[in-house]
Amino acid sequence: METLILLSYIALCIITFKVFKLPKNKWTITTASVIGLLLMGWIFLYMAMYQPVSRMARVVSITTPITSQVSGLITDVYVKPNQPMKKGDALYQIDKTPFSDKVARVNADIKRTEVAVNFYNKELTRYKKLGAKGFSSQENVDNVQTQLLEQKANLTKYQSQLRLAEFNLDCTTVVAPTDGYVTQIGLRPGMKSRTKPFQGNLTFVHKEDKQLFAAFPQAPARYIKAGYPAEVTFHTFPGHAFKAHVVQVNDIFAQGSFMPSGKMLAAENTQGNGRIITKIVIDDPSLLKGVPIPAGTDAHVAVYSPQWEMFSVVRKIILRMQSWENWVFQG
């Protein structure tokens, strides 16, 4: 676009010199050149400030790393790549044997303890009757009552262990957290599932609308606000610009975050200039129906502020020209 404007200005100068028969000397040529440079500089400086564009925009989807609540050997993998799933559908199975054994052992402890509780209940009743007739001391009654309380406490403990053991047994079948699908499956029977957070065995893609985020330089940040109109072009759909608008301007970016640690921040270790992250929404999503725009697709986004709105025409032309270039220049 810069070349087109420059050539148009040169053509205008040639016509002016021919029609008005201006003398061609160092003064007239220098004046025309300086005016041309100032004009182009003014156009592109104001356009970059008031009608900014981001060539760092991307379509994203929310994904979840699937881990298991328990560790164990994987016996079956039920999920297929890129097939729609419902919430609760089984993804893979961990060997149930050790967890079933734990449930059986705790059930046995509960039955044994219940027998003991029944026994000491009867003994307590018997000793109280004997004590009332003078054939048993209060010490014997207290001892039986103590044993009964201990067995009741054990019964409560084993019941709690049973709930945990049954929960772990249920967790051996790993299920889909929401509607969605799994992609790029590398999990196989015989592998071991671990419980490390954020180190999943599968990547689950939720059934949600894709989101578009664009990163703008800091200079035009004053002229990027929620509600401002925008236009989007996608690398996968050359030659088309979609009307959109800004819905969110993040108040922080990565370089402005701070996490607690035992080390102080050093100026020489700080990262470079950050960019303003904005969320963009297409005005008419139906226009994208059937268009291949997978998550991860690159895009160009231009935002049009109401100030110096005349330059938005130039920005729209440049945006479309760059979109048409995607037919030729790949990557």
Side-chain angles (χ1 to χ4, degrees):
M1 186 61 189
E2 297 88 343
T3 304
L4 181 61
I5 294 177
L6 180 60
L7 291 176
S8 300
Y9 179 75
I10 293 174
L12 179 63
C13 290
I14 293 174
I15 293 172
T16 302
F17 276 101
K18 291 288 186 181
V19 172
F20 295 100
K21 301 185 184 302
L22 294 177
K24 300 176 182 177
N25 55 47
K26 62 180 181 180
W27 302 110
T28 57
I29 294 176
T30 300
T31 300
S33 300
V34 171
I35 291 175
L37 291 174
L38 291 176
L39 182 62
M40 287 192 62
W42 177 62
I43 291 175
F44 284 100
L45 177 64
Y46 273 57
M47 185 175 60
M49 181 64 68
Y50 298 106
Q51 316 297 330
V53 66
S54 171
R55 294 176 177 83
M56 298 176 62
R58 184 156 295 175
V59 179
V60 299
S61 287
I62 304 300
T63 62
T64 297
I66 299 297
T67 57
S68 56
Q69 292 284 345
V70 295
S71 298
L73 190 68
I74 297 172
T75 58
D76 295 285
V77 178
Y78 306 116
V79 65
K80 301 296 182 183
N82 303 316
Q83 288 190 357
M85 305 187 70
K86 297 292 184 181
K87 180 180 179 180
D89 288 350
L91 299 176
Y92 62 90
Q93 179 66 51
I94 298 174
D95 188 7
K96 294 184 176 182
T97 303
F99 303 96
S100 299
D101 179 67
K102 177 66 174 178
V103 171
R105 285 187 285 113
V106 176
N107 272 320
D109 290 334
I110 289 176
K111 290 180 180 179
R112 175 176 53 82
T113 307
E114 287 176 343
V115 171
V117 168
N118 291 332
F119 171 76
Y120 283 112
N121 268 324
K122 293 178 180 179
E123 285 293 289
L124 181 61
T125 302
R126 187 170 68 88
Y127 272 96
K128 283 182 178 180
K129 290 180 179 180
L130 292 174
K133 296 178 181 181
F135 296 107
S136 177
S137 65
Q138 184 62 37
E139 182 180 0
N140 290 334
V141 174
D142 292 340
N143 288 336
V144 174
Q145 195 165 20
T146 300
Q147 293 293 330
L148 177 61
L149 292 175
E150 288 181 358
Q151 294 303 323
K152 286 183 176 180
N154 288 336
L155 181 60
T156 302
K157 179 183 69 174
Y158 291 138
Q159 288 172 341
S160 176
Q161 290 179 357
L162 178 63
R163 287 192 294 270
L164 178 59
E166 289 176 340
F167 173 78
N168 289 337
L169 179 60
D170 291 339
C171 288
T172 56
T173 303
V174 181
V175 300
T178 62
D179 294 352
Y181 65 93
V182 178
T183 188
Q184 297 183 4
I185 299 174
L187 196 65
R188 297 292 184 272
M191 296 180 178
K192 187 171 184 179
S193 179
R194 301 183 181 276
T195 59
K196 292 183 179 180
F198 305 109
Q199 295 186 13
N201 300 309
L202 299 170
T203 299
F204 190 87
V205 184
H206 299 273
K207 186 180 180 182
E208 298 175 353
D209 292 336
K210 299 183 181 72
Q211 302 180 62
L212 175 62
F213 289 93
F216 288 89
Q218 297 181 29
R222 293 171 292 170
Y223 309 106
I224 303 174
K225 297 181 180 179
Y228 277 13
E231 283 189 324
V232 181
T233 62
F234 297 99
H235 286 198
T236 59
F237 202 19
H240 292 77
F242 300 91
K243 291 184 178 181
H245 62 279
V246 180
V247 296
Q248 177 183 321
V249 181
N250 286 5
D251 197 36
I252 188 174
F253 39 86
Q255 288 80 355
S257 64
F258 174 78
M259 297 181 65
S261 68
K263 296 181 180 180
M264 297 181 64
L265 293 177
E268 58 271 18
N269 294 332
T270 56
Q271 301 176 3
N273 294 333
R275 287 177 170 259
I276 307 298
I277 306 298
T278 62
K279 184 178 180 181
I280 310 296
V281 171
I282 304 296
D283 289 345
D284 188 0
S286 63
L287 296 175
L288 298 177
K289 188 175 181 180
V291 178
I293 302 181
T297 298
D298 293 329
H300 287 180
V301 176
V303 174
Y304 305 121
S305 75
Q307 300 195 34
W308 293 92
E309 196 171 358
M310 73 224 25
F311 292 112
S312 65
V313 176
V314 181
R315 174 62 73 198
K316 289 178 180 180
I317 295 174
I318 294 176
L319 188 70
R320 284 158 175 78
M321 290 179 65
Q322 291 173 337
S323 178
W324 281 108
E325 289 177 356
N326 291 329
W327 284 108
V328 180
F329 303 104
Q330 301 294 326

